[in-house]
Amino acid sequence: MAAKLARSQRTATRGTPPGAGGALLKVGDLLANKYRVLRVLGEGGMGVVVEAHHELLDQRVAVKLLYQDVADTEAQSRLLLEARSAAKLQSEHVARVMDVDVGPNGLPFIVMELLEGADLCQIADARGAMPRWLVVDYMLQALEGLAHAHARAIIHRDLKPSNLFLADRPDGSQIIKILDFGISKSQEGTPDRRAQQLTGGRTVLGSPPYMSPEQVRSPKSVDH
């Protein structure tokens, strides 16, 4: 039942027309005087990810932006939290954050490495169950990225198939990359009060079908 619900939610999201959430982006737009929008890669309930061309470095990147009509203070803080958390990680199994800037609407956006491929949720929906040996391979790669994050006191808190991306490398091989540190938390040093407000308390943070009982009971104290 949980899997059916997750699929129906994804289907509803995919049916949303580009810009319906108020992103007001179109092909050719220039963000921060250097990122030229090329195409929409995907959309969710909070924002949109587009492929862009870095005009100064002649490089293709992915840019994650919030919809204007949902970009309250908390949503913007979560986006910046995601950028800060991912920027601290240098694992090949974590999607790399390259820049953070502000768009013409005054909202922050994240610039990330551009990944070619599909997430494990899309792959499972298209192909069905994967061979056991392949699942083990993908999970071991994800665990390498997780171990790297945990060694730097960062807890992801939203691991699920749609946040594990099977990326194509230039040499034809593939690699698992962990995405979306938007509800992660840091256990390092003195906790940031704003981050605590965003990720602590009794608020249910995560995706219920994939959460441990410990995370449901206490998202603030959950650890690696």
Side-chain angles (χ1 to χ4, degrees):
M1 187 177 292
K4 287 181 180 178
L5 176 62
R7 278 196 293 272
S8 68
Q9 289 174 333
R10 290 196 302 275
T11 302
T13 298
R14 289 171 189 158
T16 305
L24 300 179
L25 271 182
K26 56 185 182 295
V27 172
D29 282 354
L30 190 63
L31 297 169
N33 294 318
K34 51 187 171 181
Y35 300 109
R36 182 79 62 185
V37 177
L38 300 179
R39 63 185 173 115
V40 175
L41 295 176
E43 296 191 76
M46 296 294 291
V48 60
V49 179
V50 302
E51 178 183 346
H53 179 257
H54 194 310
E55 300 282 273
L56 302 179
L57 296 179
D58 190 23
Q59 184 180 32
R60 291 164 64 221
V61 297
V63 180
K64 182 175 182 177
L65 309 100
L66 295 170
Y67 291 137
Q68 195 159 13
D69 56 359
V70 298
D72 56 15
T73 302
E74 182 174 334
Q76 294 182 56
S77 297
R78 284 194 191 283
L79 189 76
L80 294 175
L81 173 64
E82 175 184 355
R84 281 196 297 268
S85 296
K88 293 177 183 176
L89 307 179
Q90 302 300 319
S91 169
E92 64 175 352
H93 295 292
V94 175
R96 185 165 50 97
V97 168
M98 304 162 63
D99 192 12
V100 172
D101 215 315
V102 178
N105 55 5
L107 299 179
F109 61 83
I110 301 177
V111 181
M112 302 172 288
E113 64 174 317
L114 180 66
L115 301 177
E116 301 286 353
D119 64 55
L120 295 191
C121 186
Q122 295 169 326
I123 292 172
D125 280 349
R127 304 180 193 169
M130 300 176 221
R132 250 180 252 176
W133 65 268
L134 194 56
V135 173
V136 170
D137 178 29
Y138 292 165
M139 291 306 99
L140 287 175
Q141 292 186 55
L143 287 170
E144 280 192 43
L146 267 189
H148 178 82
H150 292 166
R152 285 148 187 80
I154 294 174
I155 313 299
H156 189 284
R157 292 199 296 192
D158 197 20
L159 279 177
K160 54 187 176 183
S162 60
N163 280 338
L164 296 176
F165 195 92
L166 185 62
D168 301 324
R169 286 167 154 169
D171 64 2
S173 62
Q174 295 179 308
I175 185 172
I176 290 291
K177 300 259 190 181
I178 300 175
L179 309 177
D180 198 349
F181 281 78
I183 61 169
S184 65
K185 75 165 190 170
S186 174
Q187 294 183 304
E188 189 175 49
T190 304
D192 177 80
R193 182 172 297 178
R194 182 61 185 156
Q196 274 192 324
Q197 291 172 347
L198 288 171
T199 63
R202 296 297 302 168
T203 305
V204 177
L205 295 169
S207 302
Y210 304 100
M211 290 166 66
S212 67
E214 293 81 5
Q215 184 174 352
V216 174
R217 283 196 293 265
S218 179
K220 181 177 179 180
S221 61
V222 71
D223 59 19
H224 60 281

